[in-house]
Amino acid sequence: MAQEIEIEFKNLLTEEEYVRLYDDLSFESVELIEQTNYYFETEDFKLKQLGAALRIRRKKDTWTLTLKQPHTDGLLETHDVLTQEDVNQWMISRPVSAEHVETQLRELGVSINELKYMGSLMTRRKEREYKNTTVVLDHSFYFEKSDYELELEAHSKETGLKVFRELLDHYHIPERKTDNKIKRFFNAKPQSD
């Protein structure tokens, strides 16, 4: 499938909150997933202005190009699988064609030739099923920073919001305005780059 609607809720955590959730929800028994996001943008930040974001994610030996765009129910994600050779070209700001993402970019008025590599963010992730949702604990590293994050993915906004708030209430974690990873990445990016 080249497209999907992502419904997720996010909350930054302190290290102590992260450890408490990790221990109480038995995350130690869950496989650790290491993934790296490589971010792309135009010189004048067209994607950001449109509320969109573009990344290549490496997960094990798989490379997936994903464009995220605003959607009434969450985010519309458009995907293309890339080869290592394709990724090498993207990393030197010579993007190769990616059928589904390129079509969406054209609709946004963005040419893939305008895109350049901006940097990466590595995440150590654990995820498990919880009350008909997926709870994700992330520890991310970018530039000189690291942060902890709770994500909850759901099939509907209503279910997701209910379970998300119950989880925060149960563990006495304040609901924090949490930017997505790409926004946190760009906010932390040194200005000299």
Side-chain angles (χ1 to χ4, degrees):
M1 172 185 273
Q3 287 188 320
E4 62 185 326
I5 304 297
E6 180 183 60
I7 300 170
E8 68 179 12
F9 302 88
K10 300 171 172 285
N11 205 70
L12 284 173
L13 301 171
T14 65
E15 184 175 2
E16 294 76 21
E17 291 164 348
Y18 175 91
V19 169
R20 192 166 4 121
L21 287 169
Y22 189 96
D23 291 342
D24 286 1
L25 298 177
S26 302
F27 274 95
E28 71 279 346
S29 64
V30 179
E31 177 189 10
L32 174 68
I33 302 164
E34 287 197 1
Q35 59 191 36
T36 303
N37 292 343
Y38 301 89
Y39 295 117
F40 298 84
E41 181 56 275
T42 65
E43 289 283 349
D44 56 355
F45 292 92
K46 282 184 188 172
L47 294 175
K48 179 181 177 184
Q49 292 167 27
L50 296 164
L54 184 67
R55 69 160 190 238
I56 293 174
R57 174 173 283 170
R58 180 181 187 183
K59 201 170 179 179
K60 294 186 180 174
D61 292 324
T62 305
W63 300 88
T64 305
L65 177 68
T66 300
L67 175 67
K68 293 188 174 203
Q69 300 169 253
H71 186 277
T72 53
D73 290 326
L75 290 171
L76 174 63
E77 291 189 343
T78 304
H79 309 286
D80 281 292
V81 175
L82 301 177
T83 66
Q84 176 69 62
E85 294 76 25
D86 294 339
V87 172
N88 293 343
Q89 292 301 303
W90 276 83
M91 298 297 275
I92 59 171
S93 300
R94 286 194 197 143
V96 296
S97 183
E99 177 187 5
H100 305 292
V101 168
E102 198 169 354
T103 297
Q104 291 300 114
L105 285 169
R106 270 195 305 272
E107 287 181 16
L108 293 174
V110 177
S111 163
I112 66 166
N113 297 322
E114 297 176 76
L115 298 167
K116 69 177 251 190
Y117 172 61
M118 301 299 232
S120 65
L121 177 148
M122 192 276 281
T123 299
R124 301 187 71 186
R125 168 171 284 192
K126 294 251 186 167
E127 54 186 60
R128 66 176 312 115
E129 297 305 308
Y130 179 82
K131 296 187 178 181
N132 296 316
T133 68
T134 301
V135 173
V136 179
L137 290 180
D138 283 344
H139 186 190
S140 296
F141 304 85
Y142 48 104
F143 303 113
E144 301 295 317
K145 288 184 63 89
S146 80
D147 63 38
Y148 299 92
E149 180 182 19
L150 164 69
E151 286 187 11
L152 187 133
E153 299 170 359
H155 298 292
S156 77
K157 269 186 170 179
E158 299 75 26
T159 300
L161 189 57
K162 180 178 183 289
V163 174
F164 181 70
R165 289 201 169 134
E166 285 173 1
L167 196 57
L168 293 180
D169 288 345
H170 181 76
Y171 287 97
H172 308 289
I173 297 171
E175 193 168 340
R176 301 177 177 105
K177 180 186 180 308
T178 300
D179 291 328
N180 60 25
K181 285 180 181 66
I182 194 167
K183 192 166 186 179
R184 298 197 311 265
F185 167 86
F186 278 114
N187 286 340
K189 187 171 173 40
Q191 295 303 311
S192 59
D193 286 354

